[in-house]
Amino acid sequence: MVRGESLFIYFHGINAYLLVMRYGVLFLFLSFSFGGGGLCAQENILDARTNFALGQTVTVDGIIISDDNLGFIRYMQDETAGIAVYPGGDWSAFEFTPQPGDVVSITGTLTEYNGLLEIVDLSLVTILGTAPLPAPLDITPSQLIEDIEGQLVRIQDVSFGVEGGAFVSNQTVEFEAFGETGVLYISP
């Protein structure tokens, strides 16, 4: 420890959090889960996505990158990956509703819903501060794969085959960019 630093261990259910306070700012240093057959800890969102099984409890930190345009679900990402976070309904059980740019720590259970990996059954949602949104990844349509699920992406030079048409909810629209095709899903 260094001068101006305090160390805290916080227990919540089967989870333990190692928190460090530096000059009045609280940082989540490490989180552990004491369930599902032993002590588990994840380093980041990618670690939670790739090294933990469905049904396991995870704690991840990241920046909220979506708002209520998609309903109650939020997407968050860190420097390694992104993931969906679903509170099971609205956010009234928590002290705040996450907004884009909020840096949060979220503890919940990994699950998959319609092919989307997400964190549900949230037991702890903590706001750690705010930060600028991460820069979107520049990709092509063929790079729209599960590895970048839940992250901000940008496809440039897109053309749609519905000239003059309007996009409506619950619709799929094909698009082209860089000689590749992709499908845009328009949610309700």
Side-chain angles (χ1 to χ4, degrees):
M1 295 206 357
V2 296
R3 182 179 217 172
E5 184 174 83
S6 300
L7 181 67
F8 302 93
I9 298 176
Y10 171 70
F11 292 94
H12 184 269
I14 63 170
N15 301 309
Y17 306 92
L18 178 61
L19 304 164
V20 176
M21 171 106 41
R22 285 191 184 141
Y23 303 105
V25 179
L26 189 63
F27 297 92
L28 177 65
F29 184 72
L30 189 58
S31 61
F32 295 96
S33 176
F34 297 96
L39 178 64
C40 303
Q42 56 282 334
E43 294 179 13
N44 50 46
I45 295 175
L46 181 61
D47 187 28
R49 288 183 66 88
T50 58
N51 296 320
F52 287 77
L54 298 179
Q56 280 192 288
T57 299
V58 296
T59 298
V60 293
D61 295 353
I63 300 172
I64 298 295
I65 60 171
S66 66
D67 59 17
D68 61 357
N69 284 326
L70 299 172
F72 298 123
I73 196 166
R74 295 294 187 271
Y75 288 87
M76 65 185 290
Q77 78 178 75
D78 63 13
E79 66 281 349
T80 66
I83 196 161
V85 178
Y86 183 65
D90 64 26
W91 289 89
S92 62
F94 303 98
E95 294 181 19
F96 67 99
T97 299
Q99 299 299 320
D102 287 343
V103 179
V104 296
S105 179
I106 293 186
T107 299
T109 305
L110 277 180
T111 192
E112 196 168 273
Y113 179 76
N114 288 335
L116 175 67
L117 186 65
E118 58 186 19
I119 301 173
V120 298
D121 300 329
L122 307 180
S123 60
L124 187 64
V125 177
T126 306
I127 190 161
L128 304 173
T130 59
L133 294 180
L137 297 171
D138 285 311
I139 63 169
T140 66
S142 66
Q143 293 171 313
L144 279 171
I145 57 174
E146 190 170 358
D147 290 351
I148 61 169
E149 179 181 84
Q151 295 183 58
L152 289 175
V153 298
R154 175 176 46 213
I155 301 175
Q156 298 191 43
D157 300 321
V158 171
S159 62
F160 294 94
V162 289
E163 291 184 34
F167 297 124
V168 295
S169 62
N170 293 319
Q171 172 186 10
T172 60
V173 178
E174 287 192 10
F175 67 91
E176 186 177 309
F178 304 104
E180 301 171 2
T181 59
V183 177
L184 174 67
Y185 299 93
I186 303 172
S187 64

